[in-house]
Amino acid sequence: MKFTITREQLQEGLSAVAAAIPAKTTLPVLANVLVEVTKQGLRLSGTDLDIAVSTTVPAEVDAEGAVTLPAKKLVDIARELPSGPVRITAAGESRVGIECGRSKFKLLGLPREEFPSFPAVKFDGAWKAAAGVVHKLVGHVAFAASTEESRPILNGVLWELRPDHMRMVATNGHRLAKMDVPAKGGSTADLIVPPKALEQIRRLFAADEALEVARSDNHIGFRAGGTLVFSRLIEGPYPNYEQVIPRENDKVATVDKAGMAAALRRMSVVASDQTHRIRLAFSGGAVKFSVQTPDLGEAQDELAVTYEGEPLEIGFNATYLLEILKYMPTDEVRITFKAPERAATVEPVGWDDPASYMALVMPLRLVD
Amino acid sequence: MTTGRRILLADADAFYVAVARLVDPDGAGKARLLIVGGAPDRRGVVTSASYEARAYGVQSAMPMARAVRLCPGATVVPVPWEACADKGREIAAVLRRFTPAVEQASSDEFYLDLSGTERLYHDEPLAATARRIRDTVLAETTLSLSIGGATSKLVAKLAAGVAKPRPGSPSGGVHVVPPGAEAEFMLRFALADLPFVGPKFQERLARFGLRSVRDVVRHERETLVRWLGEREGEWLYQRVRGHDAAPVEPDREAKSVSRDETFPTDVDDDDALAAKLLVLADRASADLRDGGLVARTVSVKLRDADFITRQASRTLPDPVRSDRAVYAVARQLLARLRRARRVPARLLGVALSQLGAEGAEGQLSLLEREAGGIETERDRTISRVIDEVRGKFGPDALGRGGAQGR
């Protein structure tokens, strides 16, 4: 193995895979990056066994070969090297020499055979989408997934691929986010993807890249340019979320997002640390906010809104509402209700985008 | 900083006996030889005994049948649980007038942290404060306390043991170990006297010739670590010198609510066990609601006839409080335990943990109507109604159909 690469390109490749390499691991080889040198250039790979990332960067290759090297040390060396060509050569079994200008290193690694093999995902017949579209789906939906371990299925984001559209849905059982975007071609599939893998997609692929998405029985693969991401899929079935989306909400409030968020943040100061319970009273042209926390105090606020329907008093976890507002893409949002113990919907108003987006949140029971 | 702490352990003398006498002044109140606990013909154990009965060798946790053989003339009465809880609360209320840092360690043991009260009590010696506390509790609750004082919880607890009245040797009821004298004070104890040194640990220690505090202090820290491992070696090294940094935790809340039953005769029938489980789930969930709590973890404990104890737990996505939900989960757990080993059972228990305040939920669930929701609004309403009926007509007014013939 013998090749020459610019420091910048080495760093670029390493930063792509380093995020997939676990900081602590019981399997020593997982702390290493797999370095493979072929005629195509330098391929770097890292994995924590849940997610695997692999990227190819150009290099001047003199001799092919492969080895695994401690990722953190290689990243630190690449960062500290002077700018200039870096020569990397095999120096015996699982050992490489690194030279750049007058700096010289010898680094011990592990044989490539110890590195886990990548999931066998074939990209023939892959779905194709602009990475930017996937970014948009992930960026508006993934936040709603559960982080609790008790229901693993809710830790994932449901990705529905259909001939004419794609949809992502996530929920923790208390709130839900859902977005649809038009799409062309491709077959039908329901994938439940760990948010950690989707975060890698957002990080690694530029919005204008054409992303290929493929699956095997229990893995999903993403490919664009010279970079590949694989992730384990969460095994379904996903709960029937369609059935909880309210269709009969007859009370509609149109509110200024910034004004509502500001009032919610103010009320949160005196809300219970555990429940974040706040009370909203809609009637006529206003919503009155109030919060009362035993042993702490109380607060009230008011905001002008457009409201149609019978007056309504409803309780919410302020954190859930604030989070949903944060991801709403428009200055105005529409909130609909049926009753104090039924789901409320939140949607953007006047969003100039082919996508459609909504969030749901279940109220908190009001205790008087 | 742990030096200079002023910690007391107040322990009620023969608490269950004293309360049993208060509750039944003409019966238990007049019996000199009194044992409190479960009935001897139902495999009951001794909860507590009068000092006179203890002179016959009766000890707590001993099978009642054996206790009655040792002390033939003794009167045996059941534990007056509710009165004990009430009296415990009365004692805690008095103690809190002396310091807000009161931790109830058990129904009759209380740690008090009086650090920083020197100015408040005009530099009164700790022993004098302890005596004032003891007199006040005695005057207001008629219950007598033994109080130990020291710079740590460990030494305070051992000092309280020294302060305890013994048959034939009445004591002042207060023993304070002054700061700096802890190591010397510790020398009188056997290792078995230290909290957390149980029979198994004692056996291990004995293999190295370690039976008393004196045996241990002779050895270097490194020797103990080599023999017992880093954690336990270090722990023992510190404890025998009276070092213990554990704080008095006034807000320590119950970590679990549990109910168990030792059967009069072993039970091997799955249906019979399920019926017992239903009663226990019902009681445990009633205790939970009584405390204004909800639980996320349900555990089932099964002790087989050969004393092998097994346990299974499940943590739920949302907290529960209804007997139906608790039983539904507990039943699956019991089935799992029985599948793994099906032999006659001696004891069955249900425990609820990962507790939260009832108001803390109230978050309605989106997916409740699906199979994922363990507990429905209907379950909660039924539980509330059951509690109301029992509150009015007594605990046995209403029970689950499956628990008939209990």
Side-chain angles (χ1 to χ4, degrees):
Chain A
M1 186 180 85
K2 192 170 179 185
F3 66 98
T4 308
I5 187 168
T6 64
R7 190 197 70 165
E8 289 71 25
Q9 250 156 354
L10 179 62
Q11 267 190 306
E12 188 192 315
L14 285 171
S15 71
V17 299
I21 293 173
K24 275 186 188 160
T25 168
T26 48
L27 208 59
V29 75
L30 294 186
N32 283 14
V33 56
L34 173 63
V35 178
E36 293 169 293
V37 185
T38 65
K39 291 199 180 69
Q40 279 79 49
L42 170 66
R43 188 161 109 122
L44 298 168
S45 309
T47 181
D48 63 0
L49 294 181
D50 283 332
I51 294 171
V53 176
S54 172
T55 191
T56 305
V57 285
E60 219 173 277
V61 175
D62 297 323
E64 300 186 355
V67 68
T68 78
L69 295 171
K72 185 163 186 316
K73 292 298 165 198
L74 197 56
V75 167
D76 290 350
I77 289 170
R79 189 183 52 233
E80 301 301 341
L81 285 177
S83 193
V86 184
R87 285 176 60 77
I88 301 183
T89 48
E93 185 79 1
S94 315
R95 230 158 87 115
V96 296
I98 304 170
E99 289 184 32
C100 179
R102 292 189 197 171
S103 316
K104 289 181 185 171
F105 294 85
K106 284 238 160 57
L107 204 54
L108 275 171
L110 291 165
R112 70 151 306 171
E113 290 70 32
E114 287 189 25
F115 201 80
S117 55
F118 274 26
V121 177
K122 293 197 175 65
F123 282 88
D124 355 323
W127 292 281
K128 290 186 178 66
V133 171
V134 179
H135 291 181
K136 184 160 69 181
L137 286 167
V138 175
H140 288 90
V141 173
F143 79 92
S146 168
T147 51
E148 296 230 340
E149 288 170 13
S150 52
R151 281 177 86 181
I153 196 92
L154 297 187
N155 295 149
V157 175
L158 173 66
W159 193 1
E160 295 181 351
L161 297 154
R162 297 290 179 271
D164 59 343
H165 74 278
M166 288 196 283
R167 169 183 288 178
M168 270 191 197
V169 181
T171 180
N172 70 349
H174 299 151
R175 48 103 203 266
L176 175 149
K178 169 173 91 78
M179 183 180 262
D180 284 38
V181 295
K184 279 198 290 281
S187 48
T188 294
D190 287 354
L191 310 169
I192 305 169
V193 190
K196 225 169 73 176
L198 296 172
E199 270 317 304
Q200 294 289 344
I201 305 311
R202 284 226 289 177
R203 193 178 66 83
L204 290 170
F205 300 110
D208 57 354
E209 281 188 281
L211 189 63
E212 291 178 282
V213 183
R215 70 170 297 183
S216 67
D217 279 350
N218 43 21
H219 284 89
I220 185 169
F222 302 87
R223 181 167 78 178
T227 302
L228 287 141
V229 177
F230 298 101
S231 168
R232 172 183 63 79
L233 286 168
I234 299 173
E235 286 183 36
Y238 200 79
N240 183 357
Y241 67 89
E242 292 271 13
Q243 142 185 332
V244 303
I245 296 176
R247 320 264 171 217
E248 295 160 0
N249 282 6
D250 53 1
K251 302 173 180 66
V252 181
T254 308
V255 308
D256 174 57
K257 183 177 68 173
M260 174 112 177
L264 287 170
R265 280 195 300 271
R266 282 193 287 271
M267 296 300 100
S268 295
V269 175
V270 268
S272 147
D273 285 342
Q274 276 146 28
T275 63
H276 307 283
R277 187 194 311 275
I278 51 146
R279 178 189 295 254
L280 277 65
F282 290 90
S283 72
V287 52
K288 288 184 176 151
F289 301 83
S290 63
V291 53
Q292 236 181 338
T293 307
D295 304 331
L296 180 58
E298 54 178 75
Q300 293 86 32
D301 211 325
E302 193 171 334
L303 184 70
V305 299
T306 313
Y307 180 70
E308 292 156 32
E310 295 285 304
L312 172 80
E313 283 202 30
I314 189 165
F316 282 107
N317 176 330
T319 316
Y320 284 158
L321 277 184
L322 276 168
E323 205 171 23
I324 286 172
L325 289 178
K326 189 169 98 186
Y327 290 97
M328 282 291 141
T330 55
D331 292 341
E332 269 197 326
V333 298
R334 180 164 48 242
I335 311 179
T336 76
F337 311 94
K338 175 74 185 169
E341 305 212 339
R342 304 283 288 275
T345 69
V346 186
E347 288 162 286
V349 174
W351 193 27
D352 182 21
D353 196 282
S356 68
Y357 181 44
M358 76 171 309
L360 290 190
V361 57
M362 279 304 277
L364 275 172
R365 204 175 286 114
L366 287 173
V367 279
D368 290 297
Chain B
M1 277 298 286
T2 56
T3 52
R5 289 196 303 169
R6 291 151 57 86
I7 291 176
L8 298 180
L9 177 77
D11 183 347
D13 297 330
F15 180 63
Y16 297 96
V17 169
V19 177
R21 285 181 165 152
L22 284 176
V23 172
D24 175 19
D26 294 326
K30 294 204 167 120
R32 226 170 39 82
L33 297 175
L34 180 65
I35 308 179
V36 182
D41 55 342
R42 293 178 62 89
R43 298 196 194 176
V45 294
V46 175
T47 304
S48 186
S50 65
Y51 289 110
E52 292 84 351
R54 289 183 201 189
Y56 287 83
V58 177
Q59 289 173 358
S60 52
M62 171 183 283
M64 186 61 83
R66 188 159 161 238
V68 187
R69 277 199 303 276
L70 285 172
C71 186
T75 305
V76 176
V77 296
V79 183
W81 290 112
E82 272 183 36
C84 287
D86 288 346
K87 279 289 168 191
R89 277 192 285 271
E90 277 179 42
I91 297 175
V94 175
L95 298 179
R96 271 188 211 106
R97 300 212 302 261
F98 289 86
T99 168
V102 175
E103 172 188 332
Q104 185 159 6
S106 70
S107 47
D108 61 342
E109 277 186 323
F110 305 85
Y111 285 103
L112 290 81
D113 192 342
L114 288 143
S115 312
T117 59
E118 296 87 342
R119 304 284 288 278
L120 191 62
Y121 295 139
H122 308 291
D123 295 317
E124 179 185 47
L126 187 57
T129 311
R131 273 191 286 277
R132 280 203 296 130
I133 292 173
R134 190 170 180 273
D135 293 345
T136 313
V137 171
L138 186 62
E140 296 192 18
T141 69
T142 72
L143 293 170
S144 135
L145 301 178
S146 295
I147 302 182
T151 54
S152 70
K153 283 166 92 172
L154 167 74
V155 180
K157 182 168 168 72
L158 292 169
V162 172
K164 279 264 169 204
R166 276 182 182 66
S169 73
S171 118
V174 171
H175 187 98
V176 172
V177 179
E182 295 88 353
E184 198 199 325
F185 171 75
M186 293 300 293
L187 291 176
R188 70 183 76 184
F189 293 102
L191 294 177
D193 295 331
L194 305 187
F196 305 112
V197 181
K200 278 197 180 151
F201 195 26
Q202 285 169 40
E203 247 175 64
R204 256 180 77 202
L205 293 167
R207 266 181 259 149
F208 301 104
L210 305 176
R211 285 179 186 82
S212 67
V213 169
R214 265 180 205 283
D215 295 336
V216 179
V217 291
R218 274 199 291 269
H219 296 287
E220 305 272 325
R221 184 198 309 252
E222 289 68 29
T223 312
L224 296 175
V225 167
R226 196 166 64 241
W227 286 347
L228 303 168
E230 182 65 45
R231 204 169 52 90
E232 284 168 314
E234 176 67 23
W235 184 88
L236 192 65
Y237 181 84
Q238 296 295 346
R239 291 308 174 278
V240 296
R241 283 162 180 75
H243 298 165
D244 169 28
V248 173
E249 295 174 277
D251 294 326
R252 216 176 71 163
E253 286 165 9
K255 291 200 172 83
S256 71
V257 170
S258 66
R259 283 286 188 145
D260 49 41
E261 185 186 352
T262 303
F263 307 129
T265 53
D266 296 338
V267 178
D268 196 21
D269 178 59
D270 281 349
D271 291 340
L273 278 172
K276 297 281 188 195
L277 188 73
L278 182 56
V279 176
L280 293 168
D282 180 24
R283 287 187 191 153
S285 60
D287 290 347
L288 184 77
R289 296 192 298 271
D290 192 36
L293 298 169
V294 291
R296 276 192 59 197
T297 302
V298 178
S299 308
V300 170
K301 181 164 85 174
L302 193 62
R303 181 169 299 148
D304 295 332
D306 55 5
F307 279 88
I308 288 178
T309 306
R310 300 173 298 135
Q311 190 168 318
S313 304
R314 184 168 158 212
T315 297
L316 306 166
D318 295 305
V320 296
R321 79 193 88 160
S322 70
D323 54 336
R324 198 202 61 80
V326 169
Y327 178 63
V329 177
R331 212 182 147 154
Q332 290 173 5
L333 296 171
L334 176 63
R336 197 203 299 169
L337 290 171
R338 291 287 289 170
R339 267 199 306 279
R341 188 165 190 256
R342 191 172 263 109
V343 298
R346 179 186 166 81
L347 172 148
L348 181 65
V350 172
L352 304 170
S353 54
Q354 287 226 51
L355 307 180
E358 201 173 330
E361 39 71 84
Q363 170 68 55
L364 298 160
S365 175
L366 266 176
L367 306 169
E368 182 161 278
R369 275 168 289 167
E370 285 205 51
I374 302 270
E375 183 173 272
T376 63
E377 196 52 47
R378 187 165 166 268
D379 295 331
R380 290 190 273 268
T381 308
I382 291 173
S383 290
R384 195 160 56 235
V385 173
I386 292 175
D387 291 345
E388 282 167 16
V389 172
R390 286 177 179 165
K392 221 171 193 169
F393 301 106
D396 295 326
L398 204 57
R400 287 268 163 189
Q404 286 301 316
R406 52 186 141 148

